[in-house]
Amino acid sequence: MTVVSLVSALTRDELEARLYEAEETLRAIREGEIDAVVIKGGAIEQVFTLEGGGQSYRTFMEAMDIGAAAFDAEGQLLYANQALCTLLDRPADELSGQALLGMLDAVNQTTFRRLLTQALKERQSSEIHVRVGHIERSFLLTGAPIDFGIVSGVAITFTDISEREQIAAAKESERLARSVLASANEAVIVCDRSGRVTHINAAAERICAEAPIGKPFEQAIELTFADASELMSGSDIVAMAAGGTPVQGLEAAVKTSAVDVTDVMISAAPLIVSGDRTQGCVVTLINLSQRKAAERRQALLMGELDHRVKNTLAMVLAISARTASHERTIEDFQKSFSGRIQALAATHTLLSNASWENLQIKDVLRVELAPYATLSSGRITMEGLDISVDSKTAVSLGLVFHELTTNAVKYGALSTRSGKLSVRRIGLLDDGALQIEWEERDGPLVTPPTASGFGQTLISRSLGSGPNGGTRLEYRPSGVVCQIVIPKYGHFLS
């Protein structure tokens, strides 16, 4: 029986003397004649003595369930057990010498060589990755010092951790997928092949029915398709996607749990986890509420603009016809007509700048007086006119102020340097109408006109007549006075 023991210290002479013995020991290892080994690296040295002729060392290695191999100090493979040959899918005769290192790429070769070097002194562990056929395998290597007689080497075990790493990778992949799902702004709903909901993210929870997991898609989320009426349903989309046909960009409405209706764009794609087999589908819903609301506002504005343009054109035609019937020459017509159209345009500009709302009476008056006098001159005073009016009233007031201003410039207070004009709020009448007064004074002596022109007609008719609105024009010797009554409802905000 050959016994291999730990040699703690040998002199040079002793080593030379036992050279032959070492060579014989190596031969015995290769031929399986060793039946005892000493393993270093633990708290104490472990001696394994095996009984049984030339197969004793092989028997020891083959008794291990995991892959194991012995290397000499030069990194030469001395023996690999059958478990390791099976793991590497190589026969034993192809793993001799440096063959095992040849299976590794440069990075893993470096790791392996480092382990061999370090394990000569103490127990060490490392991970390497080896391509076996078409499969990438991961091994946890544990190496420890080993002595064969006077020869030192390394015993390394190979534990296949591929499955463990695959499980860890699968868990990490699932965790990543859940994070992506949870972070998505769009509502994401995952269905299995039967169309039942298996996963949803937080955005989808807000529009789905209660406890949607496990429910058929059409029960989890209620969809209607305005463009397809009853011919299309959510279950149809899920069935198409789960069958391998993607669906993209359909507009639909979702009835949410809060009874509100949300406009969405729905898309669905087959869910393929591995291989070519479809496992279900992924449905995404993009909220279109803001875009749809903007489209509806734009449509309303376009309709309102169309309505106002038609009204304005009708008013221009009426002004043109009325002006033509009261003017004697083309030059007079052009002057009067262009002045009224300019007054109309000025009011429209104010309305446009104010987004057709919250336009105040003082702004309408100021723009009509601007070509002739400024408020800083001291000849014009305004009082209590910071009152908002609607667009229709603003247009009417613009025409009234234009006619009054034109008359004052031609014949009244604004025709002389001494004339003064006051426009002020009188107050509210019993029916809630607003009364304001246009008063001229210190101008030339005023005499009532002998004939009624279109300007007077326009002033009297622009704000309606009767108790709820209208104007009353007085030609007092001291100056023109016009009482303007604006109906309450919908015309001004006091």
Side-chain angles (χ1 to χ4, degrees):
M1 179 176 68
T2 301
V3 177
V4 180
S5 61
L6 173 65
V7 178
S8 59
L10 291 174
T11 66
R12 180 180 180 85
D13 292 340
E14 289 173 330
L15 287 173
E16 290 177 349
R18 300 183 64 177
L19 177 61
Y20 175 77
E21 182 182 354
E23 292 176 347
E24 282 298 306
T25 301
L26 288 175
R27 183 195 59 76
I29 291 171
R30 294 191 183 96
E31 295 178 1
E33 298 175 357
I34 300 276
D35 57 5
V37 296
V38 178
I39 304 298
K40 296 180 177 179
I44 60 174
E45 296 178 346
Q46 301 178 60
V47 180
F48 295 87
T49 302
L50 305 174
E51 303 294 340
Q55 297 299 318
S56 57
Y57 181 67
R58 290 191 179 91
T59 302
F60 167 68
M61 298 291 282
E62 297 302 336
M64 304 175 73
D65 293 332
I66 59 176
F71 297 83
D72 65 15
E74 304 301 325
Q76 298 286 334
L77 178 64
L78 302 177
Y79 185 76
N81 68 355
Q82 184 57 44
L84 181 59
C85 294
T86 301
L87 287 173
L88 300 178
D89 194 24
R90 296 288 181 90
D93 56 354
E94 292 187 10
L95 292 178
S96 61
Q98 298 286 329
L100 193 151
L101 283 173
M103 297 178 63
L104 307 178
D105 59 24
V107 174
N108 287 286
Q109 278 190 14
T110 301
T111 302
F112 197 90
R113 291 184 187 281
R114 185 185 303 117
L115 175 66
L116 285 174
T117 301
Q118 294 174 344
L120 283 170
K121 300 177 182 177
E122 58 183 357
R123 183 181 297 272
Q124 291 288 329
S125 295
S126 294
E127 289 185 12
I128 63 169
H129 307 281
V130 184
R131 176 163 291 280
V132 180
H134 299 292
I135 301 174
E136 186 81 17
R137 287 188 178 276
S138 299
F139 293 102
L140 174 63
L141 307 185
T142 300
I146 184 173
D147 288 337
F148 304 98
I150 62 169
V151 178
S152 297
V154 175
I156 296 181
T157 57
F158 291 69
T159 304
D160 188 354
I161 58 173
S162 303
E163 184 176 357
R164 188 182 75 186
E165 289 201 340
Q166 289 171 359
I167 293 174
K171 289 182 177 179
E172 177 62 16
S173 178
E174 184 175 353
R175 188 192 64 80
L176 180 61
R178 289 182 180 277
S179 297
V180 171
L181 194 65
S183 302
N185 292 325
E186 297 81 10
V188 181
I189 303 169
V190 181
C191 298
D192 61 16
R193 298 187 65 192
S194 66
R196 291 184 179 276
V197 175
T198 58
H199 299 80
I200 64 170
N201 66 352
E205 287 180 349
R206 291 191 285 270
I207 60 175
C208 281
E210 293 182 2
I213 301 299
K215 290 183 178 179
F217 179 82
E218 64 272 16
Q219 292 183 14
I221 183 167
E222 187 174 342
L223 287 175
T224 57
F225 297 84
D227 296 335
S229 184
E230 302 298 328
L231 299 177
M232 179 69 76
S233 67
S235 59
D236 295 330
I237 292 177
V238 170
M240 291 173 62
T245 303
V247 179
Q248 293 184 338
L250 294 181
E251 291 190 7
V254 178
K255 186 177 182 181
T256 67
S257 56
V259 193
D260 296 327
V261 175
T262 301
D263 294 305
V264 297
M265 177 178 290
I266 180 172
S267 298
L271 175 63
I272 301 175
V273 179
S274 61
D276 297 329
R277 182 178 172 81
T278 300
Q279 301 297 324
C281 67
V282 179
V283 182
T284 58
L285 301 171
I286 299 175
N287 194 329
L288 299 179
S289 298
Q290 292 186 351
R291 196 187 84 179
K292 286 293 184 182
E295 290 178 354
R296 284 191 283 270
R297 286 196 297 271
Q298 186 177 19
L300 286 173
L301 288 175
M302 293 298 293
E304 180 66 18
L305 179 61
D306 179 69
H307 174 70
R308 288 175 177 173
V309 167
K310 289 178 179 177
N311 285 348
T312 301
L313 290 176
M315 184 181 297
V316 170
L317 289 174
I319 292 174
S320 174
R322 291 281 187 172
T323 303
S325 64
H326 286 79
E327 301 295 342
R328 296 179 179 178
T329 65
I330 293 178
E331 288 75 14
D332 291 341
F333 167 78
Q334 288 179 330
K335 188 175 182 179
S336 299
F337 180 70
S338 62
R340 287 161 183 157
I341 297 303
Q342 287 173 2
L344 195 61
T347 305
H348 272 265
T349 299
L350 288 177
L351 286 169
S352 178
N353 293 338
S355 300
W356 292 81
E357 58 185 7
N358 296 327
L359 187 60
Q360 296 190 338
I361 295 175
K362 65 179 182 182
D363 297 323
V364 179
L365 177 60
R366 182 182 291 113
V367 76
E368 295 300 332
L369 290 172
Y372 311 104
T374 61
L375 298 180
S376 60
S377 65
R379 300 173 59 195
I380 301 174
T381 57
M382 293 185 189
E383 183 180 343
L385 300 183
D386 48 349
I387 302 170
S388 298
V389 293
D390 63 14
S391 58
K392 182 178 179 181
T393 302
V395 171
S396 299
L397 279 175
L399 291 173
V400 170
F401 289 146
H402 169 74
E403 295 301 328
L404 290 171
T405 300
T406 301
N407 185 72
V409 170
K410 286 182 177 179
Y411 315 109
L414 300 182
S415 64
T416 64
R417 292 182 178 274
S418 59
K420 293 184 175 56
L421 170 64
S422 171
V423 186
R424 62 191 179 96
R425 168 177 172 163
I426 300 300
L428 297 178
L429 303 181
D430 293 340
D431 60 359
L434 172 68
Q435 183 179 9
I436 61 178
E437 182 183 73
W438 171 289
E439 182 183 17
E440 301 175 29
R441 64 181 186 278
D442 299 335
L445 181 64
V446 174
T447 56
T450 57
S452 176
F454 177 56
Q456 290 176 284
T457 303
L458 195 151
I459 291 172
S460 63
R461 292 184 178 180
S462 290
L463 290 168
S465 59
N468 293 326
T471 59
R472 189 175 72 248
L473 190 60
E474 299 178 55
Y475 292 93
R476 298 175 183 173
S478 57
V480 171
V481 176
C482 182
Q483 303 292 335
I484 302 172
V485 178
I486 304 172
K488 175 182 178 181
Y489 298 106
H491 289 184
F492 68 90
L493 301 172
S494 59

